[in-house]
Amino acid sequence: RDDEIDLSKLGHYQSGLLQHFRFVELPLIFRYKALEKDFKLYVKAGMAGNYLVGNDIYLERDMSGPSVGETLGLRDFHFSALGGLVFSVPLSNRLNLLFEPTAQVFLMPYNRDDLLTGRAFPYNFSLHTGISYGL
């Protein structure tokens, strides 16, 4: 979208560019109960299919402004592996508070062309929380 932004002035921006990728993910996760005392501890592992639905570049971390383009050469579909722990703390007979520290790593490089240097395998760490209801 170089008609909206003067690309010759990119070197004059203080914070540079921000790449913003959005994915839809479908995970398949297995849990194994490792401990049951006042709380339950599970070990979880699995994999996920990730589909790229958004690929935008913004100037100076201002995502409220217009996108100035997209990153070329990215795969649309990725696979990732994930693992972590699940802490389940009972709130009542049927309600449990969950804390799930999780690590995830993509199993394929982001770029489509394997001849390019700088193959990147993104990863993330997250803490999922929630309340579960069990019968």
Side-chain angles (χ1 to χ4, degrees), residues 37-58:
K37 292 200 176 205
D38 294 338
F39 66 93
K40 294 177 185 171
L41 173 67
Y42 298 88
V43 176
K44 71 176 183 177
M47 62 181 301
N50 305 274
Y51 184 72
L52 181 68
V53 295
N55 174 4
D56 295 305
I57 297 177
Y58 298 94

Side-chain angles (χ1 to χ4, degrees), residues 55-99:
N55 174 4
D56 295 305
I57 297 177
Y58 298 94
L59 296 177
E60 293 192 3
R61 302 191 181 275
D62 181 16
M63 292 175 50
S64 63
S67 170
V68 297
E70 65 181 30
T71 304
L72 300 177
L74 296 181
R75 295 179 193 271
D76 291 331
F77 194 75
H78 302 84
F79 286 103
S80 61
L82 56 97
L85 300 173
V86 178
F87 298 95
S88 178
V89 180
L91 299 175
S92 71
N93 281 346
R94 295 186 179 179
L95 288 178
N96 294 293
L97 180 61
L98 300 175
F99 297 97

Side-chain angles (χ1 to χ4, degrees), residues 24-30 45-50 80 82 104:
V24 172
E25 178 177 85
L26 183 60
L28 177 61
I29 301 171
F30 298 96
M47 62 181 301
N50 305 274
S80 61
L82 56 97
Q104 182 175 20

Side-chain angles (χ1 to χ4, degrees), residues 3-50:
D3 56 333
E4 298 173 11
I5 303 294
D6 184 4
L7 296 180
S8 65
K9 296 182 181 178
L10 282 180
H12 300 287
Y13 290 99
Q14 297 294 328
S15 301
L17 301 174
L18 173 71
Q19 293 178 302
H20 188 245
F21 304 126
R22 292 181 307 279
F23 293 92
V24 172
E25 178 177 85
L26 183 60
L28 177 61
I29 301 171
F30 298 96
R31 292 182 181 176
Y32 173 77
K33 189 186 307 182
L35 179 67
E36 184 172 3
K37 292 200 176 205
D38 294 338
F39 66 93
K40 294 177 185 171
L41 173 67
Y42 298 88
V43 176
K44 71 176 183 177
M47 62 181 301
N50 305 274

